[in-house]
């Protein structure tokens, strides 16, 4: 199916497919998204289950090699609702948009350098309103380095937005796309310039559980000790974890996505998604850096708090459009929020986003981390919904 | 949303900031980490460090132009806002990195409203933390540099050189390559230090270091090991000749004169080269080998190089030890003068040849053959010669005092003694001081000395001759004998060397040469002294040839001054011919000399 909006010289449309054959799914979603028009950028979110090369080749064929960035997900979002095992493609075009895309593989964990290289595509891009859309490998190290690398190139001049690729919670390997290239451990990005405002909204809906703890031992995104106790043990005990999650890694991850770690920041707190635990050294593995010496606390969410955050993020994104009508939303929604909401809840959430879009197409994916820098220097988030609104 | 106090939040941020900044490895990295973390900590779009009126580092402008003037103004408190592309006009706040006299300032700018007092306190604390970290880094770097480098030349010192060599040897062993150590010692450095002082010497060392640096590759490591000694580590040396090329280049670079305080100095150097052999070697061994090779280069003639060979090690160690002792032997009064009698054909004592001995503290009494070569190479031979002359003249003056019958004193002179400009004055001064008549002194010169044939030497000899000093040619016929110098120099005595005498009795060519020398000398009117006579048969032949004087074990071995005193003293008291001491000193006597009388 396809939903398209034409506003003067800019257009954004979304196509999706749940066909099992990767090439067929890619072809169907791309045709639905472009409707035969020449797209300036395609943004593709696909299930990790798809054969990525077949998917990209098929998309390139029917779009005449339109520039593409994308990644695998932990679930796709389209106006029709959330899905698994599908493909969602956002196409944008029209004279009001200018787009440049780039990709770089982070050698030896050099995320910052890779991100800076990708951000270079924003150089010289004309236009009043801009955003740099970044998609990265959420399992590839400290994602704050992605923000730092991009910020070192574009500075405060361009907001950053995007998310970390997923692999349907296998937590093993994610894939990034750039044109026809299938990439691993990469940062892909597109600098988008528009003659109409671009809005970004960021909200999470988590609440603290229990008191604050001191991070007594951590290194990078590994947390070894909280209040001088093994981090995993204190996590299991304080949250009263029972059953398989105490010993089974997969069950633990399932539990942990709805029980993140909060760390102290000027803005109040940042949420850290706990991706896994080491049952031997009793440490926790987060998606981003948890500084030693800082305060941390455990968090949890419920359906209400998460949905309230959804409303707030959409409202913020629309407000940033300065009265201009949105032509489409791209949502980067944390997999953890999906975990809290459940199947019925996420359908409700997508519906709410669609309501805020007021008929404009909606697309997105469930992420392993979210990117949104609109002010200040920081911009990496966990357990958060980031909404990009184009007008 | 948060229930924390701002103070708690700020304390944590500072702890994080300190952790990140202090783990940086250098100023650049520390400053970059600091501005990044400071901006993140208080949600600022911009952070910068302004140092001495320029922006040292900034975050927030990407790779577009940094508004330097605005940030410098903000650092100096002249403005409290900075226009940031993409963020608009931002509120700026600044904090110095140090308490007093700070040249660096941390500046932050934010679009999200004014900074709270707590945020300002945090910013100041971050700035001080960065300042402290940078100061510590500076101090540590300076201390490390001072600990590992020669302050005069900036070259590596011995500790660093050894460390680099250790790594180079390890790498060479792994890659199957070789490293070379060049050990360089300046040859005439002492002259500069002695004549112009140590400050000038330092100037020379700096200039030498500059030339060495210009003659080697950037990846080679030059070091000053102390004094005027340098070493160069050359890595990845494919062959011995590759190392000698480097040595050549260095020596060539030192060839042009050094201008120090308006005075030109010619300074040569000797270079020893040691090359790793691919086995496990210790840095100290390679340095020592290069050092030994350097001594060989010095011995071979200054201004050259020598490559270490295994056989050098034992020889040179022994030689260096000997030289070391020899340098202070005169001061310790370890040189002894022994005297070997020279006998006339009529059996009377003609005089004595003074022969030096060295009473070595460990090795015992050493003959000249055991140390004179080393003394020559170490440049000590002339001073030893003067010591011997002084002692011998003093002894002889004592023996011939009181109107006793005069005796001749034969003293050997080295080429370097004759070469000294004040040679004549020193000889005459010694004679005057000791009271020995010039006529009693016979200076023995080897043919090598006479071969120098310089005007200055001829003049010196002629001067001394005019004052009564006589000259003998030692070992006549063994070297580059030339009749010419017998005419050119004032020669009074020809000594026939032992090798000719040894085969005299057996006949043959040597016998012919010996008799030819005697007859030739007689025809020139120059008396001869036959040396090294050990057998009666030799004496008989020489006697028949009409040789007027003899010297050798057949008559007496060299004896101590005390023994000579006793001999001469007894003779004086008895006024009778005195027999030489019996025993080892007297081997045999001919019939013709059955009752030799020495007085």
């Amino acid at each position: 199916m396809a939903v398209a909006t034409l506003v003067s010289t800019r257009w954004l449309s979304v196509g999706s497919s749940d066909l099992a054959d990767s090439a067929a799914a890619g072809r169907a979603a791309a045709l639905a998204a472009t409707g035969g028009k020449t797209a300036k950028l395609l943004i593709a979110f696909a299930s990790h289950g798809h054969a990525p090369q077949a998917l990209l080749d098929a998309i390139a064929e029917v779009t005449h090699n339109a520039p593409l960035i994308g990644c695998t997900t932990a679930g796709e979002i389209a106006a029709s609702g959330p899905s698994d095992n599908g493909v969602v493609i956002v196409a944008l075009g029209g004279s009001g948009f200018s787009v440049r895309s780039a990709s770089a593989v982070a050698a030896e964990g050099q995320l910052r350098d890779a991100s800076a290289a990708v951000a270079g595509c924003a150089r010289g891009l004309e236009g009043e309103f801009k955003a740099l859309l970044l998609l990265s490998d959420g399992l590839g190290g400290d994602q704050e380095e992605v923000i730092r690398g991009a910020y070192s190139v574009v500075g405060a001049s361009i907001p950053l937005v995007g998310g970390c690729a997923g692999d349907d919670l296998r937590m093993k390997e994610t894939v990034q796309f750039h044109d026809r290239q299938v990439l691993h451990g990469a940062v892909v990005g597109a600098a988008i310039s528009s003659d109409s405002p671009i809005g970004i909204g960021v909200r999470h809906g988590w609440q603290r559980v229990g008191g604050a703890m001191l991070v007594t031992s951590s290194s990078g995104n590994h947390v070894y000790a909280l209040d001088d106790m093994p981090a995993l043990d204190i996590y299991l005990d304080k949250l009263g974890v029972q059953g398989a999650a105490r010993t089974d890694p997969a069950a633990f991850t399932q539990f942990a996505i709805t029980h993140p770690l909060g760390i102290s920041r000027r803005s109040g707190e940042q949420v850290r998604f706990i991706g896994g635990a080491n049952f031997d050294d009793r440490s926790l593995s987060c998606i981003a850096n948890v500084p030693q010496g800082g305060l941390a606390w455990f968090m949890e969410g419920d359906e209400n708090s998460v949905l309230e955050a959804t409303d707030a993020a959409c409202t913020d994104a629309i407000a940033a459009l300065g009265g201009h009508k949105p032509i489409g939303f791209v949502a980067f929604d944390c997999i953890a929020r999906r975990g809290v909401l459940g199947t019925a809840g996420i359908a409700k959430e997508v519906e709410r986003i669609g309501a805020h879009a007021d008929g404009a197409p909606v697309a997105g994916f469930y992420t392993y981390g979210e990117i949104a820098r609109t002010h200040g220097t920081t911009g990496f988030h966990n357990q958060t919904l980031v909404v990009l609104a184009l007008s | 949303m948060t229930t924390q106090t701002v103070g708690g939040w700020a304390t944590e941020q500072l702890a994080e900031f300190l952790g990140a900044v202090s783990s940086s490895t250098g100023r650049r990295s520390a400053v970059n980490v600091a501005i990044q973390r400071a901006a993140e900590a208080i949600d600022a779009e911009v952070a910068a460090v302004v140092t001495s009126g320029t922006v040292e580092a900034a975050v927030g402008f990407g790779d577009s132009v940094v508004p330097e003037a605005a940030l410098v103004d903000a650092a100096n408190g002249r403005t409290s806002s900075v226009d940031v592309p993409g963020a608009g006009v931002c509120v700026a706040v600044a904090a110095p990195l140090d308490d007093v006299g700070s040249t660096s300032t941390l500046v932050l700018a934010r679009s999200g409203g004014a900074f709270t007092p707590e945020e300002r306190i945090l910013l100041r604390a971050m700035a001080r933390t960065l300042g402290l970290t940078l100061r510590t880094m500076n101090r540590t770097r300076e201390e490390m540099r001072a600990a590992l480098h020669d302050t005069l030349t900036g070259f590596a010192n011995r500790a660093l050189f050894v460390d680099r060599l250790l790594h180079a040897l390890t790498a060479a062993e792994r890659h199957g390559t070789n490293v070379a150590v060049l050990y360089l010692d300046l040859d005439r450095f002492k002259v500069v230090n002695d004549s112009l002082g140590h400050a000038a010497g330092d100037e020379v060392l700096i200039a030498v270091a500059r030339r060495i640096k210009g003659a080697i590759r950037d990846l080679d490591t030059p070091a000053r090991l102390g004094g005027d000694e340098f070493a160069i580590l050359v890595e990845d040396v494919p062959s011995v000749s590759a190392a000698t090329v480097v040595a050549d280049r260095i020596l060539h670079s030192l060839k042009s004169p050094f201008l120090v305080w308006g005075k030109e100095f010619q300074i040569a150097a000797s270079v020893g080269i040691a090359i790793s052999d691919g086995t496990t070697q210790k840095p100290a061994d390679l340095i020592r080998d290069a050092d030994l090779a350097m001594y060989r280069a010095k011995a071979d003639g200054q201004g050259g190089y020598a490559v270490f060979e295994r056989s050098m090690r034992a020889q040179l160690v022994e030689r260096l030890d000997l030289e070391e002792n020899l340098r202070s032997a005169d001061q310790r009064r370890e040189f002894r003068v022994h005297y070997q009698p020279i006998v006339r054909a009529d059996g009377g004592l003609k005089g004595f040849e003074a022969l030096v001995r060295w009473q070595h503290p460990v090795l015992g009494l050493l003959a000249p053959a055991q140390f004179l070569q080393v003394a020559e190479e170490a440049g000590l031979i002339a001073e030893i010669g003067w010591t011997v002359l002084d002692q011998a003249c003093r002894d002889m003056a004592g023996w011939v005092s009181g109107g006793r019958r005069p005796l001749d004193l034969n003293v050997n002179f080295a080429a370097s003694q004759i070469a000294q400009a004040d040679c004549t004055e020193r000889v005459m001064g010694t004679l005057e001081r000791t009271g020995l008549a010039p006529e009693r002194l016979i200076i023995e010169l080897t043919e090598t000395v006479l071969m120098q044939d310089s005007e200055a030497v001829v003049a010196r000899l002629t001067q001394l001759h005019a004052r009564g000093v006589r000259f003998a040619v030692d070992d006549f016929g063994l070297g580059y004998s030339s009749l010419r110098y017998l005419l050119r120099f004032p020669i009074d005595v020809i000594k026939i060397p032992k090798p000719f005498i040894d085969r005299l009795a057996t006949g043959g060519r040597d016998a012919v040469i010996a008799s030819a020398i005697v007859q030739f000398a007689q025809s020139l009117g120059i008396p001869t002294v036959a040396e090294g006579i050990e057998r009666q048969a030799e004496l008989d032949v020489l006697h028949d040839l009409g040789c007027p004087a003899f010297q050798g074990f057949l008559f007496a071995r060299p004896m101590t001054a005390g023994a000579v005193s006793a001999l001469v003293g007894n003779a004086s008291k008895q006024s009778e011919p005195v027999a030489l001491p019996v025993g080892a000193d007297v081997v045999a006597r001919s019939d013709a000399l059955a009752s030799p009388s020495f007085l």
Side-chain angles (χ1 to χ4, degrees):
Chain A
M1 67 159 287
V3 181
T5 302
L6 275 171
V7 178
S8 67
T9 56
R10 299 175 306 283
W11 60 267
L12 185 152
S13 59
V14 174
S16 64
S17 170
D18 55 5
L19 292 172
D21 179 77
S22 298
R27 202 174 295 119
L31 280 173
T34 58
K37 295 195 297 286
T38 302
K40 287 195 167 169
L41 179 70
L42 302 175
I43 309 165
F45 305 124
S47 163
H48 191 264
H50 273 301
Q53 195 62 63
L55 179 79
L56 296 182
D57 287 345
I59 295 170
E61 266 171 43
V62 298
T63 61
H64 308 290
N65 294 312
L68 177 147
I69 64 167
C71 62
T72 52
T73 70
E76 304 80 43
I77 296 170
S80 55
S83 68
D84 289 309
N85 310 314
V87 177
V88 173
I89 296 176
V90 179
L92 54 90
S95 60
F97 282 126
S98 295
V99 180
R100 286 186 194 156
S101 65
S103 61
V105 174
E108 298 285 321
Q110 299 298 307
L111 267 180
R112 187 186 182 120
D113 292 344
S115 178
V118 169
C121 74
R123 285 192 187 108
L125 191 68
E126 298 294 328
E128 193 183 347
F129 305 100
K130 292 177 203 162
L132 178 60
L133 173 56
L134 296 167
L135 302 171
S136 65
D137 175 9
L139 304 177
D142 182 3
Q143 299 295 309
E144 285 190 339
E145 290 290 293
V146 174
I147 308 299
R148 288 176 187 143
Y151 196 70
S152 72
V153 174
V154 300
S157 65
I158 304 180
L160 307 177
V161 65
C164 297
D167 67 349
D168 293 329
L169 277 180
R170 289 186 186 88
M171 306 309 282
K172 286 196 173 118
E173 180 192 66
T174 70
V175 184
Q176 296 76 47
F177 312 142
H178 184 213
D179 296 337
R180 284 189 189 220
Q181 296 176 74
V182 174
L183 304 167
H184 300 279
V187 177
V188 298
I192 301 167
S193 157
S194 172
D195 54 10
S196 188
I198 297 173
I200 296 169
V202 192
R203 288 296 173 112
H204 71 73
W206 303 94
Q207 291 158 339
R208 296 183 186 189
V209 181
M213 298 161 290
L214 190 63
V215 181
T216 45
S217 174
S218 72
S219 173
N221 35 343
H222 295 282
V223 183
Y224 298 102
L226 296 164
D227 283 345
D228 286 322
M229 306 254 293
L232 175 60
D233 292 329
I234 198 167
Y235 181 83
L236 295 173
D237 294 346
K238 272 208 174 184
L239 292 173
V241 180
Q242 301 294 327
R246 292 192 75 91
T247 51
D248 176 53
F252 176 84
T253 300
Q254 198 61 45
F255 175 84
I257 57 173
T258 58
H259 295 85
L261 199 66
I263 58 171
S264 174
R265 281 292 175 264
R266 173 182 172 271
S267 54
E269 65 210 349
Q270 267 192 359
V271 188
R272 288 287 182 264
F273 174 30
I274 299 170
N278 185 323
F279 286 88
D280 294 326
D281 69 9
R282 316 302 289 170
S283 67
L284 298 172
S285 297
C286 297
I287 295 291
N289 184 38
V290 176
Q292 184 172 306
L295 283 185
W297 46 87
F298 300 131
M299 304 188 90
E300 64 180 5
D302 57 31
E303 188 174 323
N304 275 342
S305 66
V306 168
L307 288 176
E308 278 168 20
T310 305
D311 287 337
C314 291
T315 306
D316 289 350
I318 290 167
L321 295 179
H324 291 261
K325 192 173 162 37
I327 62 167
F329 276 9
V330 184
F332 304 92
D333 201 356
C334 185
I335 180 62
R337 292 164 48 86
R338 182 179 176 177
V340 173
L341 293 173
T343 308
I346 56 172
K348 226 182 274 180
E349 184 187 30
V350 174
E351 206 177 289
R352 283 205 195 190
I353 296 171
H356 284 286
D358 194 18
V362 173
F365 74 104
Y366 290 102
T367 62
Y368 285 179
E370 303 75 48
I371 292 168
R373 193 216 66 80
T374 52
H375 66 270
T377 317
T378 55
F380 186 71
H381 309 269
N382 271 178
Q383 323 277 4
T384 299
L385 171 67
V386 171
V387 175
L388 167 68
L390 293 158
S391 65
Chain B
M1 175 159 285
T2 175
T3 55
Q4 273 187 282
T5 63
V6 174
W9 157 79
T11 308
E12 285 164 44
Q13 295 300 312
L14 190 60
E16 280 184 43
F17 181 86
L18 177 61
V21 171
S22 63
S23 62
S24 304
T25 51
R27 181 181 177 100
R28 197 181 157 149
S29 143
V31 167
N32 282 330
V33 166
I35 56 176
Q36 181 81 51
R37 293 306 178 102
E40 288 174 9
I42 57 175
D43 261 352
E45 275 82 1
V46 165
V49 167
V50 174
T51 299
S52 305
T54 58
V55 175
E56 186 175 347
V59 63
F61 303 99
D63 52 9
S64 59
V65 179
V66 174
E68 182 141 28
L71 289 173
V72 171
D73 281 351
N76 295 335
R78 286 196 289 266
T79 180
S80 58
S81 67
V82 174
D83 197 2
V84 181
V89 177
C90 293
V91 180
V93 64
L97 264 53
D98 297 294
D99 285 333
V100 278
S102 182
T103 53
S104 296
T105 307
L106 179 62
V107 178
L108 271 85
R110 189 170 76 193
S111 62
F115 292 88
T116 63
E118 286 82 0
E119 285 170 344
R120 285 170 180 275
I121 290 167
L122 174 61
L123 177 64
R124 287 181 75 85
M126 284 178 174
R128 296 293 160 82
T129 302
L130 176 60
L132 181 67
T133 305
L134 295 180
R135 277 203 307 282
T136 308
M137 268 178 190
N138 270 346
R139 205 163 47 237
T140 309
R141 200 165 50 238
E142 278 162 20
E143 280 166 5
M144 276 182 66
R145 190 170 166 76
L148 295 173
H149 287 82
D150 169 43
T151 47
L152 193 62
T153 61
F155 277 9
N157 65 10
R158 187 180 284 271
L160 180 58
F161 187 77
V162 168
D163 185 57
R164 292 262 173 94
L165 181 54
L166 179 67
H167 284 103
L169 283 170
T170 309
E173 197 185 346
R174 198 166 53 238
H175 300 128
T177 56
N178 290 303
V179 301
V181 170
L182 275 58
Y183 202 109
L184 181 147
D185 184 89
L186 301 182
D187 289 333
R188 297 188 60 234
F189 182 65
K190 198 171 173 295
V191 177
V192 181
N193 258 358
D194 290 351
S195 57
L196 283 183
H198 287 285
D202 286 353
E203 292 288 320
V204 170
L205 291 172
I206 292 166
V208 165
R210 208 171 291 137
R211 292 200 193 175
I212 290 174
K213 186 85 186 148
I216 60 175
R217 301 173 300 177
D218 282 347
L219 50 97
D220 299 330
T221 304
R224 180 169 168 237
L225 302 184
D228 59 347
E229 293 179 342
F230 294 86
I232 298 102
L233 166 61
V234 186
E235 292 188 57
D236 204 9
V237 178
S239 63
V240 172
S241 62
T244 62
V245 165
V246 180
D248 260 334
R249 221 165 38 224
I250 292 170
L251 291 172
H252 182 77
S253 77
L254 299 176
K255 275 211 168 111
S256 54
F258 289 83
L259 191 67
V260 180
W261 296 359
K263 212 169 161 178
E264 274 194 356
F265 282 94
Q266 199 77 48
I267 291 175
S270 297
V271 177
I273 303 169
I275 297 173
S276 64
D277 58 10
T279 64
T280 310
Q281 275 178 302
K282 288 181 191 156
D285 292 346
L286 208 57
I287 294 171
R288 183 202 57 203
D289 290 351
D291 189 12
L292 292 179
M294 186 276 290
Y295 274 99
R296 169 55 60 88
K298 238 182 220 308
D300 289 348
Q302 300 184 337
Y305 64 78
V307 180
F308 175 78
E309 290 163 18
R310 204 167 285 276
S311 62
M312 275 181 197
R313 200 172 289 160
Q315 291 169 13
L316 285 172
V317 168
E318 200 176 281
R319 182 193 173 283
L320 290 175
D321 189 47
L322 202 65
E323 183 185 319
E324 185 65 26
N325 275 305
L326 201 53
R327 286 191 186 280
S328 49
D330 197 18
Q331 202 179 5
R332 293 196 303 266
R333 300 182 174 278
E334 288 172 357
F335 293 119
R336 307 277 180 267
V337 184
H338 286 196
Y339 300 91
Q340 187 171 35
I342 299 171
V343 181
R344 289 197 306 264
D346 62 5
L349 184 61
K350 181 179 179 294
F352 294 94
E353 179 180 353
L355 298 163
V356 68
R357 298 288 185 271
W358 176 18
Q359 188 64 50
H360 189 281
V362 177
L363 302 174
L365 194 67
L366 300 183
Q370 291 170 279
F371 65 91
L372 281 190
Q373 181 65 30
V374 175
E376 179 84 60
E377 287 167 6
L380 300 168
I381 194 79
E383 283 314 306
I384 294 174
W386 292 120
T387 300
V388 170
L389 178 72
D390 187 78
Q391 186 59 50
C393 289
R394 202 174 298 280
D395 286 345
M396 182 55 81
W399 297 328
V400 300
S401 64
R404 293 182 192 120
R405 187 171 165 185
L407 293 169
D408 291 338
L409 174 66
N410 287 37
V411 178
N412 294 282
F413 261 47
S416 50
Q417 269 177 287
I418 297 294
Q420 288 177 351
D422 61 349
C423 175
T424 308
E425 289 73 23
R426 284 189 83 164
V427 172
M428 294 314 295
T430 303
L431 290 169
E432 204 169 304
R433 200 167 55 249
T434 58
L436 186 71
E439 294 75 20
R440 300 275 55 86
L441 179 64
I442 299 175
I443 293 175
E444 293 197 8
L445 303 167
T446 62
E447 289 180 336
T448 319
V449 177
L450 299 173
M451 283 299 290
Q452 290 179 1
D453 198 13
S454 80
E455 290 301 326
V457 171
V458 173
R460 254 165 242 150
L461 265 54
T462 309
Q463 278 172 9
L464 286 168
H465 201 257
R467 299 188 193 184
V469 176
R470 286 172 292 163
F471 294 95
V473 185
D474 205 1
D475 297 337
F476 183 86
L478 285 184
Y480 306 92
S481 290
S482 163
L483 295 180
R484 196 162 65 92
Y485 66 66
L486 287 178
L487 302 172
R488 186 164 161 76
F489 293 96
I491 302 300
D492 303 286
V493 176
I494 289 174
K495 296 188 83 171
I496 306 168
K498 191 171 184 298
F500 296 134
I501 306 299
D502 285 348
R503 303 174 73 175
L504 211 53
T506 58
R509 223 162 64 176
D510 287 333
V512 175
I513 293 172
S515 64
I517 293 171
V518 174
Q519 286 162 10
F520 163 72
Q522 280 171 347
S523 66
L524 285 175
I526 301 174
T528 51
V529 173
E531 285 186 294
I533 301 169
E534 293 180 357
R535 294 190 291 270
Q536 185 60 48
E538 292 162 5
L539 181 61
D540 292 343
V541 175
L542 287 163
H543 208 262
D544 290 346
L545 282 170
C547 187
F550 314 106
Q551 185 179 350
F553 287 2
L554 181 65
F555 305 101
R557 287 178 180 270
M559 57 184 74
T560 62
V564 174
S565 286
L567 184 72
V568 173
N570 285 340
S572 169
K573 270 182 252 165
Q574 293 166 8
S575 296
E576 288 288 331
V578 176
L580 283 166
V582 181
D585 288 339
V586 181
V587 178
R589 294 177 195 155
S590 71
D591 288 343
L593 298 167
S595 304
S597 60
F598 293 99
L599 294 170

